Amino acid sequence: MEMDTAHLKIIFAGSVGAGKSSSIQAISDIELVNTEEIASDEVRLMKETTTVAMDYGQMNLEDGTKLHLYGAPGQKRFDFMWEILAEGAIGIILLIDDAAADPMAELNDYLQAFKGQLNSRSMVIGITRTDLSESYELNAYRDLVSSYDTLTPVFTVDAREEFQVKTLVRALLYRMDPWLN
Ligand SMILES: Nc1nc2c(ncn2[C@@H]2O[C@H](COP(=O)(O)OP(=O)(O)OP(=O)(O)O)[C@@H](O)[C@H]2O)c(=O)[nH]1
Ligand SMILES: [Mg+2]
């Protein structure tokens, strides 16, 4: 009889262009289920397509655990998806685009929104697109996060790179359970 393997759900959050779809694409063991559409309105200025509704991928750990990876849409008008996606999730990977107009304000908005959960050890933060930014300073992000009185870790990540995104996922799993291998 097959062992009952654990199924864990993780959500990638962050605003438009932060790299949620790219991250899931980079690490998924199955073909991505995504609802990418040609971007209209203001998003069009940034990139060709945007996620409507969600992304979905899977990553299998060595011990047979299956991670279900969900990407939330970055556009504000899809905020209603949050309640649906967050149901049963064990952790959140928050991505912040360092090359955005005001990434610190963006991070601050998310920290405000997640304030209540910051100490449940269920979040890690990845700063993306730092190679495109002129003012990259990891410590500024870390200071902002610390001001919320949480040990939520902050990493630099290129959302296109499998190894880097997997490192972020492992950091999340490790943060939730340091005894996990
Ligand atoms: N140069 C550079 N590009 C990156 C990096 N990380 C991600 N990207 C690119 O940035 C873009 C991110 O876009 P998406 O992955 O579609 O972003 P998203 O968060 O899914 O956006 P929405 O679905 O519209 O909310 C892609 O074109 C990636 O190739 C990075 O570290 N450096
Ligand atoms: Mg997307």
Side-chain angles (χ1 to χ4, degrees), residues 35-51:
T35 51
E36 211 69 3
E37 303 236 319
I38 303 293
S40 56
D41 53 58
E42 72 281 350
V43 175
R44 195 63 208 262
L45 300 172
M46 301 172 62
K47 55 196 184 95
E48 300 262 307
T49 66
T50 187
T51 304

Side-chain angles (χ1 to χ4, degrees), residues 116-160:
Q117 290 126 276
L118 285 178
N119 280 314
S120 58
R121 298 172 173 271
S122 54
M123 199 197 281
V124 297
I125 298 170
I127 310 296
T128 62
R129 296 160 57 92
T130 58
D131 55 302
L132 301 172
S133 155
E134 282 159 16
S135 57
Y136 175 56
E137 222 205 304
L138 188 58
N139 280 333
Y141 290 107
R142 289 192 165 146
D143 288 347
L144 177 59
V145 172
S146 304
S147 76
Y148 279 80
D149 205 14
T150 168
L151 296 174
T152 300
V154 186
F155 301 91
T156 303
V157 62
D158 185 327
R160 303 164 298 183

Side-chain angles (χ1 to χ4, degrees), residues 17 19-22 34 36 47 49-52 54-55 71-74:
K20 304 173 296 290
S21 297
S22 310
N34 108 339
E36 211 69 3
K47 55 196 184 95
T49 66
T50 187
T51 304
V52 295
M54 64 168 208
D55 304 290

Side-chain angles (χ1 to χ4, degrees), residues 46 97-106 135:
M46 301 172 62
D97 173 7
D98 190 50
D102 194 349
M104 295 287 280
E106 230 153 71
S135 57

